[in-house]
Each structure stands twice: as structure tokens, then as C-alpha cells.
Short mmCIF file of all heavy atoms in Angstrom, two decimals:
data_model
loop_
_atom_site.label_atom_id
_atom_site.label_comp_id
_atom_site.label_asym_id
_atom_site.label_seq_id
_atom_site.Cartn_x
_atom_site.Cartn_y
_atom_site.Cartn_z
N MET A 28 52.04 -4.51 35.11
CA MET A 28 50.73 -5.15 34.94
C MET A 28 50.00 -4.42 33.87
O MET A 28 49.85 -3.18 33.90
CB MET A 28 49.93 -5.13 36.27
CG MET A 28 48.66 -5.86 36.28
SD MET A 28 47.77 -5.80 37.81
CE MET A 28 48.98 -6.10 38.98
N SER A 29 49.59 -5.11 32.84
CA SER A 29 48.89 -4.54 31.79
C SER A 29 47.37 -4.47 31.98
O SER A 29 46.86 -5.44 32.56
CB SER A 29 49.10 -5.19 30.47
OG SER A 29 48.70 -6.56 30.52
N PRO A 30 46.74 -3.42 31.67
CA PRO A 30 45.27 -3.29 31.88
C PRO A 30 44.54 -4.16 30.93
O PRO A 30 44.94 -4.53 29.79
CB PRO A 30 44.92 -1.86 31.48
CG PRO A 30 46.03 -1.29 30.78
CD PRO A 30 47.21 -2.21 31.02
N LEU A 31 43.39 -4.77 31.38
CA LEU A 31 42.53 -5.59 30.62
C LEU A 31 41.56 -4.67 29.89
O LEU A 31 41.54 -3.47 30.04
CB LEU A 31 41.73 -6.46 31.56
CG LEU A 31 42.50 -7.51 32.27
CD1 LEU A 31 41.62 -8.34 33.17
CD2 LEU A 31 43.26 -8.49 31.36
N ARG A 32 40.77 -5.28 29.10
CA ARG A 32 39.72 -4.45 28.34
C ARG A 32 38.94 -3.53 29.15
O ARG A 32 38.62 -3.96 30.32
CB ARG A 32 38.81 -5.39 27.54
CG ARG A 32 38.04 -4.69 26.41
CD ARG A 32 37.12 -5.67 25.77
NE ARG A 32 35.86 -5.59 26.50
CZ ARG A 32 34.93 -6.61 26.44
NH1 ARG A 32 35.23 -7.61 25.75
NH2 ARG A 32 33.84 -6.45 27.10
N ASP A 33 38.57 -2.37 28.72
CA ASP A 33 37.78 -1.34 29.59
C ASP A 33 38.52 -0.95 30.83
O ASP A 33 37.98 -0.46 31.82
CB ASP A 33 36.42 -1.93 29.96
CG ASP A 33 35.62 -2.23 28.77
OD1 ASP A 33 35.73 -1.56 27.77
OD2 ASP A 33 34.72 -3.15 28.90
N GLY A 34 39.83 -1.07 30.90
CA GLY A 34 40.64 -0.59 32.01
C GLY A 34 40.66 -1.38 33.25
O GLY A 34 41.14 -0.98 34.28
N LEU A 35 40.08 -2.60 33.26
CA LEU A 35 40.01 -3.44 34.39
C LEU A 35 41.37 -4.01 34.68
O LEU A 35 42.16 -4.36 33.75
CB LEU A 35 39.04 -4.54 34.25
CG LEU A 35 37.61 -4.14 34.13
CD1 LEU A 35 36.72 -5.40 33.87
CD2 LEU A 35 37.05 -3.43 35.38
N ARG A 36 41.71 -4.16 35.93
CA ARG A 36 43.00 -4.66 36.26
C ARG A 36 42.80 -5.92 37.22
O ARG A 36 41.96 -5.76 38.19
CB ARG A 36 43.90 -3.83 37.02
CG ARG A 36 44.40 -2.62 36.06
CD ARG A 36 45.36 -1.78 36.81
NE ARG A 36 45.82 -0.66 36.01
CZ ARG A 36 47.01 -0.77 35.33
NH1 ARG A 36 47.63 -1.85 35.30
NH2 ARG A 36 47.29 0.25 34.47
N PRO A 37 43.36 -7.03 37.03
CA PRO A 37 43.16 -8.18 37.93
C PRO A 37 43.86 -7.92 39.20
O PRO A 37 44.80 -7.05 39.30
CB PRO A 37 43.85 -9.32 37.17
CG PRO A 37 44.88 -8.69 36.30
CD PRO A 37 44.30 -7.38 35.95
N ALA A 38 43.37 -8.46 40.35
CA ALA A 38 43.89 -8.30 41.60
C ALA A 38 45.33 -8.97 41.77
O ALA A 38 46.02 -8.68 42.68
CB ALA A 38 42.99 -8.87 42.71
N ILE A 39 45.72 -9.83 40.74
CA ILE A 39 46.93 -10.51 40.77
C ILE A 39 47.60 -10.25 39.40
O ILE A 39 46.95 -9.97 38.46
CB ILE A 39 46.81 -12.02 41.07
CG1 ILE A 39 45.78 -12.63 40.24
CG2 ILE A 39 46.34 -12.16 42.63
CD1 ILE A 39 45.62 -14.11 40.42
N ASP A 40 48.92 -10.58 39.32
CA ASP A 40 49.48 -10.44 38.00
C ASP A 40 49.03 -11.37 36.93
O ASP A 40 48.58 -12.42 37.27
CB ASP A 40 51.05 -10.46 38.21
CG ASP A 40 51.47 -11.87 38.49
OD1 ASP A 40 51.50 -12.28 39.70
OD2 ASP A 40 51.88 -12.60 37.59
N PRO A 41 49.04 -10.93 35.63
CA PRO A 41 48.47 -11.70 34.64
C PRO A 41 49.09 -13.15 34.49
O PRO A 41 48.33 -14.11 34.22
CB PRO A 41 48.81 -10.93 33.38
CG PRO A 41 48.89 -9.56 33.83
CD PRO A 41 49.48 -9.68 35.24
N GLU A 42 50.38 -13.32 34.76
CA GLU A 42 50.97 -14.64 34.59
C GLU A 42 50.45 -15.64 35.65
O GLU A 42 50.12 -16.79 35.42
CB GLU A 42 52.50 -14.58 34.70
CG GLU A 42 53.15 -13.83 33.56
CD GLU A 42 53.13 -12.33 33.63
OE1 GLU A 42 52.81 -11.83 34.74
OE2 GLU A 42 53.46 -11.72 32.67
N THR A 43 50.24 -15.08 36.95
CA THR A 43 49.83 -15.91 37.97
C THR A 43 48.18 -16.28 37.63
O THR A 43 47.76 -17.41 37.86
CB THR A 43 49.87 -15.27 39.30
OG1 THR A 43 51.23 -14.98 39.53
CG2 THR A 43 49.24 -16.09 40.39
N LEU A 44 47.49 -15.25 37.21
CA LEU A 44 46.10 -15.48 36.80
C LEU A 44 45.96 -16.54 35.78
O LEU A 44 45.10 -17.41 35.81
CB LEU A 44 45.46 -14.20 36.39
CG LEU A 44 44.05 -14.19 35.98
CD1 LEU A 44 43.06 -14.74 37.20
CD2 LEU A 44 43.56 -12.81 35.60
N ALA A 45 46.80 -16.50 34.77
CA ALA A 45 46.83 -17.56 33.68
C ALA A 45 47.13 -18.92 34.24
O ALA A 45 46.39 -19.86 33.91
CB ALA A 45 47.91 -17.15 32.65
N THR A 46 48.11 -19.03 35.05
CA THR A 46 48.44 -20.24 35.72
C THR A 46 47.30 -20.82 36.58
O THR A 46 46.91 -22.00 36.52
CB THR A 46 49.64 -20.16 36.64
OG1 THR A 46 50.77 -19.74 35.76
CG2 THR A 46 49.96 -21.51 37.35
N MET A 47 46.64 -20.00 37.36
CA MET A 47 45.52 -20.39 38.19
C MET A 47 44.35 -20.76 37.31
O MET A 47 43.70 -21.79 37.58
CB MET A 47 45.10 -19.18 39.04
CG MET A 47 46.07 -18.90 40.12
SD MET A 47 45.80 -17.37 41.05
CE MET A 47 44.25 -17.82 41.84
N THR A 48 44.08 -20.05 36.15
CA THR A 48 43.02 -20.38 35.29
C THR A 48 43.21 -21.78 34.66
O THR A 48 42.21 -22.55 34.59
CB THR A 48 42.86 -19.27 34.24
OG1 THR A 48 42.63 -18.04 34.86
CG2 THR A 48 41.72 -19.57 33.25
N ILE A 49 44.42 -22.04 34.16
CA ILE A 49 44.61 -23.34 33.54
C ILE A 49 44.42 -24.42 34.54
O ILE A 49 43.94 -25.51 34.32
CB ILE A 49 46.02 -23.31 32.89
CG1 ILE A 49 46.09 -22.38 31.70
CG2 ILE A 49 46.49 -24.71 32.48
CD1 ILE A 49 47.40 -22.06 31.18
N SER A 50 44.99 -24.17 35.74
CA SER A 50 44.86 -25.18 36.84
C SER A 50 43.45 -25.43 37.18
O SER A 50 43.03 -26.63 37.34
CB SER A 50 45.61 -24.72 38.07
OG SER A 50 46.94 -24.59 37.78
N LEU A 51 42.68 -24.40 37.26
CA LEU A 51 41.21 -24.54 37.47
C LEU A 51 40.57 -25.37 36.36
O LEU A 51 39.80 -26.29 36.71
CB LEU A 51 40.48 -23.14 37.63
CG LEU A 51 39.00 -23.17 37.70
CD1 LEU A 51 38.58 -23.76 39.07
CD2 LEU A 51 38.39 -21.78 37.42
N ILE A 52 40.81 -25.01 35.23
CA ILE A 52 40.18 -25.76 34.06
C ILE A 52 40.50 -27.20 34.03
O ILE A 52 39.70 -28.12 33.86
CB ILE A 52 40.49 -25.01 32.73
CG1 ILE A 52 39.83 -23.70 32.66
CG2 ILE A 52 40.08 -25.88 31.59
CD1 ILE A 52 40.25 -22.77 31.49
N ASN A 53 41.83 -27.52 34.33
CA ASN A 53 42.29 -28.90 34.29
C ASN A 53 41.61 -29.69 35.46
O ASN A 53 41.18 -30.83 35.25
CB ASN A 53 43.79 -28.97 34.47
CG ASN A 53 44.57 -28.58 33.24
OD1 ASN A 53 44.02 -28.64 32.16
ND2 ASN A 53 45.82 -28.19 33.30
N GLY A 54 41.49 -29.10 36.59
CA GLY A 54 40.86 -29.69 37.75
C GLY A 54 39.36 -29.93 37.43
O GLY A 54 38.75 -31.08 37.76
N LEU A 55 38.67 -28.94 36.95
CA LEU A 55 37.23 -29.08 36.59
C LEU A 55 37.05 -30.16 35.51
O LEU A 55 36.04 -30.91 35.67
CB LEU A 55 36.70 -27.80 36.08
CG LEU A 55 36.53 -26.68 37.15
CD1 LEU A 55 36.24 -25.32 36.51
CD2 LEU A 55 35.42 -27.07 38.10
N GLN A 56 37.91 -30.27 34.56
CA GLN A 56 37.81 -31.32 33.51
C GLN A 56 37.92 -32.72 34.23
O GLN A 56 37.13 -33.56 33.82
CB GLN A 56 38.87 -31.15 32.47
CG GLN A 56 38.56 -30.03 31.49
CD GLN A 56 39.65 -29.80 30.39
OE1 GLN A 56 40.82 -30.24 30.69
NE2 GLN A 56 39.38 -29.12 29.37
N ALA A 57 38.89 -32.92 35.06
CA ALA A 57 38.96 -34.14 35.72
C ALA A 57 37.73 -34.45 36.48
O ALA A 57 37.30 -35.62 36.53
CB ALA A 57 40.32 -34.13 36.57
N GLN A 58 37.28 -33.54 37.29
CA GLN A 58 36.08 -33.81 38.12
C GLN A 58 34.84 -34.09 37.17
O GLN A 58 34.08 -34.90 37.53
CB GLN A 58 35.72 -32.53 38.95
CG GLN A 58 36.72 -32.37 40.13
CD GLN A 58 36.36 -31.16 40.94
OE1 GLN A 58 35.56 -30.30 40.52
NE2 GLN A 58 36.91 -31.08 42.14
N TRP A 59 34.79 -33.39 36.20
CA TRP A 59 33.65 -33.57 35.16
C TRP A 59 33.61 -35.04 34.57
O TRP A 59 32.61 -35.62 34.40
CB TRP A 59 33.78 -32.51 34.06
CG TRP A 59 32.63 -32.61 33.05
CD1 TRP A 59 31.35 -32.16 33.14
CD2 TRP A 59 32.75 -33.23 31.68
NE1 TRP A 59 30.66 -32.41 32.01
CE2 TRP A 59 31.50 -33.08 31.13
CE3 TRP A 59 33.79 -33.94 31.12
CZ2 TRP A 59 31.23 -33.52 29.85
CZ3 TRP A 59 33.50 -34.32 29.83
CH2 TRP A 59 32.17 -34.25 29.24
N LEU A 60 34.84 -35.54 34.39
CA LEU A 60 34.92 -36.89 33.90
C LEU A 60 34.32 -37.87 34.83
O LEU A 60 33.70 -38.95 34.39
CB LEU A 60 36.37 -37.31 33.55
CG LEU A 60 36.95 -36.58 32.32
CD1 LEU A 60 38.45 -36.87 32.23
CD2 LEU A 60 36.29 -36.96 31.08
N PHE A 61 34.40 -37.65 36.08
CA PHE A 61 33.88 -38.56 37.14
C PHE A 61 32.33 -38.35 37.39
O PHE A 61 31.65 -39.20 37.77
CB PHE A 61 34.61 -38.37 38.37
CG PHE A 61 36.00 -39.07 38.35
CD1 PHE A 61 37.13 -38.14 38.30
CD2 PHE A 61 36.25 -40.43 38.27
CE1 PHE A 61 38.39 -38.63 38.24
CE2 PHE A 61 37.47 -40.95 38.18
CZ PHE A 61 38.55 -40.01 38.20
N ASP A 62 31.90 -37.05 37.24
CA ASP A 62 30.56 -36.70 37.60
C ASP A 62 30.03 -35.55 36.68
O ASP A 62 29.96 -34.42 37.05
CB ASP A 62 30.46 -36.38 39.06
CG ASP A 62 28.98 -36.23 39.48
OD1 ASP A 62 28.04 -36.34 38.73
OD2 ASP A 62 28.76 -35.92 40.73
N ARG A 63 29.64 -35.95 35.49
CA ARG A 63 29.19 -34.87 34.53
C ARG A 63 28.01 -34.21 34.84
O ARG A 63 27.71 -33.09 34.37
CB ARG A 63 29.00 -35.60 33.06
CG ARG A 63 30.32 -36.12 32.58
CD ARG A 63 30.21 -36.91 31.32
NE ARG A 63 31.48 -37.46 30.96
CZ ARG A 63 31.87 -37.87 29.76
NH1 ARG A 63 30.95 -37.82 28.79
NH2 ARG A 63 32.99 -38.35 29.55
N ASP A 64 27.12 -34.74 35.67
CA ASP A 64 25.84 -34.09 36.01
C ASP A 64 25.95 -33.06 37.08
O ASP A 64 25.22 -32.07 37.09
CB ASP A 64 24.76 -35.12 36.49
CG ASP A 64 24.41 -36.12 35.38
OD1 ASP A 64 24.42 -35.69 34.27
OD2 ASP A 64 24.17 -37.25 35.73
N SER A 65 26.95 -33.21 37.92
CA SER A 65 27.06 -32.22 39.02
C SER A 65 28.17 -31.13 38.87
O SER A 65 28.10 -30.15 39.59
CB SER A 65 27.22 -32.87 40.39
OG SER A 65 28.44 -33.55 40.47
N VAL A 66 29.11 -31.32 38.01
CA VAL A 66 30.21 -30.34 37.84
C VAL A 66 29.79 -29.38 36.80
O VAL A 66 29.55 -29.80 35.59
CB VAL A 66 31.53 -31.05 37.48
CG1 VAL A 66 32.62 -30.11 37.21
CG2 VAL A 66 31.91 -32.06 38.58
N LYS A 67 29.70 -28.14 37.08
CA LYS A 67 29.26 -27.05 36.26
C LYS A 67 30.48 -26.26 35.83
O LYS A 67 30.80 -25.29 36.47
CB LYS A 67 28.22 -26.22 36.93
CG LYS A 67 26.97 -26.93 37.43
CD LYS A 67 26.31 -27.69 36.39
CE LYS A 67 25.04 -28.41 36.99
NZ LYS A 67 24.72 -29.66 36.26
N VAL A 68 31.18 -26.74 34.81
CA VAL A 68 32.46 -26.11 34.37
C VAL A 68 32.31 -24.65 34.05
O VAL A 68 33.03 -23.77 34.54
CB VAL A 68 33.05 -26.78 33.20
CG1 VAL A 68 34.31 -26.23 32.64
CG2 VAL A 68 33.29 -28.30 33.55
N GLU A 69 31.32 -24.26 33.20
CA GLU A 69 31.16 -22.84 32.75
C GLU A 69 30.97 -21.92 33.97
O GLU A 69 31.53 -20.89 34.06
CB GLU A 69 30.10 -22.78 31.81
CG GLU A 69 29.87 -21.36 31.20
CD GLU A 69 28.85 -21.26 30.16
OE1 GLU A 69 28.35 -22.30 29.61
OE2 GLU A 69 28.36 -20.15 29.86
N SER A 70 29.99 -22.34 34.83
CA SER A 70 29.65 -21.43 35.95
C SER A 70 30.86 -21.35 37.00
O SER A 70 31.03 -20.19 37.53
CB SER A 70 28.44 -21.84 36.66
OG SER A 70 28.50 -23.11 37.26
N ALA A 71 31.64 -22.44 37.06
CA ALA A 71 32.73 -22.30 38.02
C ALA A 71 33.80 -21.40 37.51
O ALA A 71 34.40 -20.59 38.24
CB ALA A 71 33.35 -23.67 38.19
N ILE A 72 34.09 -21.38 36.27
CA ILE A 72 35.08 -20.50 35.60
C ILE A 72 34.57 -19.07 35.66
O ILE A 72 35.29 -18.21 36.05
CB ILE A 72 35.35 -20.99 34.16
CG1 ILE A 72 36.05 -22.38 34.17
CG2 ILE A 72 36.24 -19.90 33.45
CD1 ILE A 72 36.17 -22.96 32.80
N ARG A 73 33.33 -18.91 35.37
CA ARG A 73 32.72 -17.47 35.43
C ARG A 73 32.82 -16.95 36.85
O ARG A 73 33.25 -15.79 36.96
CB ARG A 73 31.23 -17.62 35.03
CG ARG A 73 30.57 -16.22 35.07
CD ARG A 73 29.10 -16.31 34.73
NE ARG A 73 28.87 -16.87 33.42
CZ ARG A 73 28.23 -18.00 33.20
NH1 ARG A 73 27.67 -18.69 34.23
NH2 ARG A 73 28.10 -18.50 31.97
N GLU A 74 32.54 -17.72 37.89
CA GLU A 74 32.63 -17.25 39.24
C GLU A 74 34.06 -16.99 39.59
O GLU A 74 34.29 -16.09 40.45
CB GLU A 74 31.92 -18.27 40.24
CG GLU A 74 30.42 -18.33 40.03
CD GLU A 74 29.74 -16.93 40.29
OE1 GLU A 74 30.16 -16.24 41.14
OE2 GLU A 74 28.82 -16.69 39.43
N PHE A 75 34.95 -17.86 39.16
CA PHE A 75 36.42 -17.56 39.49
C PHE A 75 36.82 -16.28 38.97
O PHE A 75 37.48 -15.45 39.69
CB PHE A 75 37.20 -18.70 38.77
CG PHE A 75 38.66 -18.46 38.84
CD1 PHE A 75 39.42 -18.62 40.06
CD2 PHE A 75 39.34 -18.12 37.65
CE1 PHE A 75 40.81 -18.35 40.04
CE2 PHE A 75 40.69 -17.97 37.68
CZ PHE A 75 41.38 -18.03 38.86
N PHE A 76 36.59 -15.92 37.64
CA PHE A 76 36.96 -14.62 37.14
C PHE A 76 36.31 -13.52 37.88
O PHE A 76 36.88 -12.49 38.07
CB PHE A 76 36.70 -14.59 35.66
CG PHE A 76 37.70 -15.24 34.79
CD1 PHE A 76 37.33 -16.27 33.94
CD2 PHE A 76 39.06 -14.98 34.90
CE1 PHE A 76 38.28 -16.98 33.12
CE2 PHE A 76 39.91 -15.64 34.20
CZ PHE A 76 39.59 -16.61 33.23
N LEU A 77 35.05 -13.61 38.23
CA LEU A 77 34.34 -12.59 38.90
C LEU A 77 34.98 -12.34 40.37
O LEU A 77 34.98 -11.30 40.79
CB LEU A 77 32.81 -12.86 39.11
CG LEU A 77 32.04 -12.84 37.72
CD1 LEU A 77 30.66 -13.38 38.07
CD2 LEU A 77 31.89 -11.37 37.29
N SER A 78 35.49 -13.36 40.95
CA SER A 78 36.13 -13.29 42.23
C SER A 78 37.61 -12.74 42.18
O SER A 78 38.01 -12.14 43.20
CB SER A 78 36.16 -14.60 42.92
OG SER A 78 37.02 -15.52 42.37
N VAL A 79 38.21 -12.89 41.06
CA VAL A 79 39.68 -12.45 41.06
C VAL A 79 39.92 -11.09 40.25
O VAL A 79 41.06 -10.63 40.38
CB VAL A 79 40.59 -13.58 40.53
CG1 VAL A 79 40.68 -14.78 41.46
CG2 VAL A 79 40.30 -13.94 39.15
N ILE A 80 38.91 -10.67 39.45
CA ILE A 80 39.11 -9.49 38.77
C ILE A 80 38.07 -8.41 39.29
O ILE A 80 36.89 -8.49 38.96
CB ILE A 80 38.89 -9.62 37.23
CG1 ILE A 80 39.91 -10.78 36.67
CG2 ILE A 80 39.01 -8.35 36.49
CD1 ILE A 80 39.76 -11.11 35.20
N PRO A 81 38.53 -7.51 40.08
CA PRO A 81 37.70 -6.51 40.72
C PRO A 81 36.97 -5.67 39.69
O PRO A 81 37.55 -5.31 38.68
CB PRO A 81 38.62 -5.68 41.56
CG PRO A 81 39.88 -6.53 41.75
CD PRO A 81 39.95 -7.30 40.48
N GLY A 82 35.73 -5.48 39.88
CA GLY A 82 34.94 -4.64 38.92
C GLY A 82 34.48 -5.29 37.70
O GLY A 82 33.87 -4.55 36.84
N LEU A 83 34.80 -6.54 37.45
CA LEU A 83 34.41 -7.21 36.18
C LEU A 83 32.88 -7.43 36.21
O LEU A 83 32.35 -7.99 37.09
CB LEU A 83 35.06 -8.61 36.09
CG LEU A 83 34.85 -9.37 34.83
CD1 LEU A 83 35.48 -8.65 33.65
CD2 LEU A 83 35.45 -10.73 34.96
N PRO A 84 32.23 -6.77 35.20
CA PRO A 84 30.72 -6.91 35.19
C PRO A 84 30.40 -8.36 34.92
O PRO A 84 30.96 -8.92 34.02
CB PRO A 84 30.30 -5.91 34.12
CG PRO A 84 31.56 -5.58 33.33
CD PRO A 84 32.72 -5.96 34.10
N ARG A 85 29.31 -8.82 35.46
CA ARG A 85 28.84 -10.16 35.18
C ARG A 85 28.49 -10.35 33.70
O ARG A 85 28.69 -11.38 33.12
CB ARG A 85 27.52 -10.36 36.06
CG ARG A 85 27.44 -11.82 36.55
CD ARG A 85 26.32 -11.90 37.58
NE ARG A 85 26.92 -12.09 38.84
CZ ARG A 85 27.40 -13.28 39.30
NH1 ARG A 85 27.55 -14.30 38.51
NH2 ARG A 85 27.94 -13.44 40.46
N ALA A 86 27.98 -9.28 33.09
CA ALA A 86 27.63 -9.29 31.70
C ALA A 86 28.79 -9.63 30.74
O ALA A 86 28.60 -10.10 29.63
CB ALA A 86 26.91 -8.04 31.26
N ALA A 87 29.94 -9.23 31.22
CA ALA A 87 31.21 -9.43 30.38
C ALA A 87 31.44 -10.90 30.19
O ALA A 87 32.24 -11.32 29.27
CB ALA A 87 32.33 -8.83 31.04
N LEU A 88 30.96 -11.78 30.95
CA LEU A 88 31.24 -13.25 30.95
C LEU A 88 29.99 -14.04 30.51
O LEU A 88 30.02 -15.29 30.68
CB LEU A 88 31.62 -13.72 32.30
CG LEU A 88 32.95 -13.10 32.81
CD1 LEU A 88 33.18 -13.67 34.26
CD2 LEU A 88 34.06 -13.44 31.88
N SER A 89 28.99 -13.39 29.89
CA SER A 89 27.88 -14.18 29.45
C SER A 89 27.87 -14.36 27.99
O SER A 89 28.66 -13.94 27.23
CB SER A 89 26.50 -13.57 29.85
OG SER A 89 26.55 -12.10 29.63
#
């Protein structure tokens, strides 16, 4: 497992994290097409990364 910037390590391997991220984005895009007002793509992705990468500062995603 390779370290991320500032020495952070994801709780899961990078390949799995990449697959999960792409799946999340694809699903959010599909939901957004049906309801653009209630689907908050950016905040959902931000919260996803904060939940799967321990120690990731909130400021790193703003």
C-alpha cells in the first residue's frame, strides 16, 4: 500500500478505493439526473473520502 500525500494511508487498498470512488461517482451522477435539486454530489464525495481515509483533514477536500 503506498502512502498518500502527508503520509496518510487509506483504510483499504488503493485499487479498491479507486473502484469504490468510481462507483460512487457513477451512482451519484445517475441520481443527479433524476433529481438535481436534492443530490449533492460534491458533499457526498467529500464525506465518502473523510469516512474511508483515517486522519484526512476536512480542509484537504475544500
Side-chain angles (χ1 to χ4, degrees):
M28 185 180 315
S29 62
L31 297 176
R32 195 180 93 203
D33 298 330
L35 296 175
R36 293 182 179 271
I39 55 177
D40 68 277
E42 292 82 13
T43 301
L44 181 58
T46 300
M47 292 170 63
T48 302
I49 292 168
S50 298
L51 172 71
I52 291 170
N53 285 339
L55 287 168
Q56 286 176 339
Q58 289 180 344
W59 180 81
L60 288 172
F61 289 108
D62 189 357
R63 295 176 184 196
D64 294 328
S65 67
V66 177
K67 308 300 182 208
V68 174
E69 184 180 343
S70 63
I72 294 169
R73 182 182 302 116
E74 292 302 319
F75 170 74
F76 280 125
L77 289 170
S78 71
V79 297
I80 303 177
L83 184 65
R85 214 167 254 288
L88 298 174
S89 44

